[in-house]
Every structure is written in C-alpha cells, then in structure tokens.
Amino acid sequence: MAQFEPLSGQLGSASLVFIAAEKRHGLFHPEKFLAEHPASFPFLLDEERSVTKAYGIYHRLGKDAWNIAHPATFVVDRGGIVRFAYVAPNQHDRAPMEEVLQAVEAQQ
C-alpha cells in the first residue's frame, strides 16, 4: 500500500482500491493502522475472504502466511477485464512498480 501512495499523481484517471484479507478487529488491527497511516484511496477489509478467494489469491496455510491472501496487484479495465496480474510467491514480494504503471498507462 505504501508504495502506491506517492505515485497517486502518476495514475491519471485510474482508481486505486486496496483489499486486505483481514478481520476488522484482527491480529494486525487494520482500523488502527489506517487511522495512523491514512490512505488517499478506498480500503476494503475482506473479512470473509470472498474477494481473495474469487481472485484465486487466498492463502490458507504456508510458511509465511495463515488465512490471508498472497500479496497481489491487479489492473482491471473499465469493462472488468484483468489486464495485469502479479501474484507474489511470498508475503514479502510485491509487483514491480514500473510494470504496474505501464499497465495502467495502457488502459488510459
């Protein structure tokens, strides 16, 4: 999430939405985190994991994760078609920002 905030001016008409597979009062206290680190875009808590399961990124159990989502970045066009997808192999990996920005620019 933090890697996108400084780039918001470079996204043109694109909209950012962040989704976290986390309970409102879960282990990582997302409400407290967002109060301390406000974001300039919508943030959805996928408490029932329905969105992460629909996108195929739900991570039930692994060495570095339990009942959350693989970090992932999607660029979805106005018609709802996924034009770019990056699903990280672990909880520390993120999509290359240059590739994300290129995918966003291609949709504008």
Side-chain angles (χ1 to χ4, degrees):
M1 181 173 92
Q3 69 193 42
F4 284 97
E5 193 68 42
L7 301 174
S8 60
Q10 298 178 39
L11 297 175
S13 63
S15 298
L16 287 175
V17 177
F18 278 80
I19 302 170
E22 176 70 42
K23 297 283 187 187
R24 184 166 309 284
H25 302 290
L27 179 65
F28 296 105
H29 309 286
E31 286 183 327
K32 180 181 177 187
F33 176 84
L34 288 171
E36 294 172 358
H37 306 92
S40 62
F41 38 79
F43 197 98
L44 169 71
L45 293 177
D46 186 15
E47 295 189 84
E48 301 305 319
R49 311 318 195 247
S50 58
V51 175
T52 55
K53 288 176 182 176
Y55 275 84
I57 58 171
Y58 178 68
H59 192 152
R60 173 91 174 114
L61 185 61
K63 288 189 284 186
D64 63 347
W66 175 74
N67 198 30
I68 61 174
H70 286 278
T73 301
F74 297 98
V75 174
V76 182
D77 72 13
R78 295 186 195 290
I81 298 171
V82 175
R83 300 295 183 172
F84 173 87
Y86 183 88
V87 179
N90 62 61
Q91 293 300 311
H92 305 287
D93 189 31
R94 299 294 183 267
M97 290 308 302
E98 184 175 303
E99 291 179 28
V100 174
L101 290 174
Q102 288 173 352
V104 168
E105 287 173 10
Q107 299 309 305
Q108 296 191 29

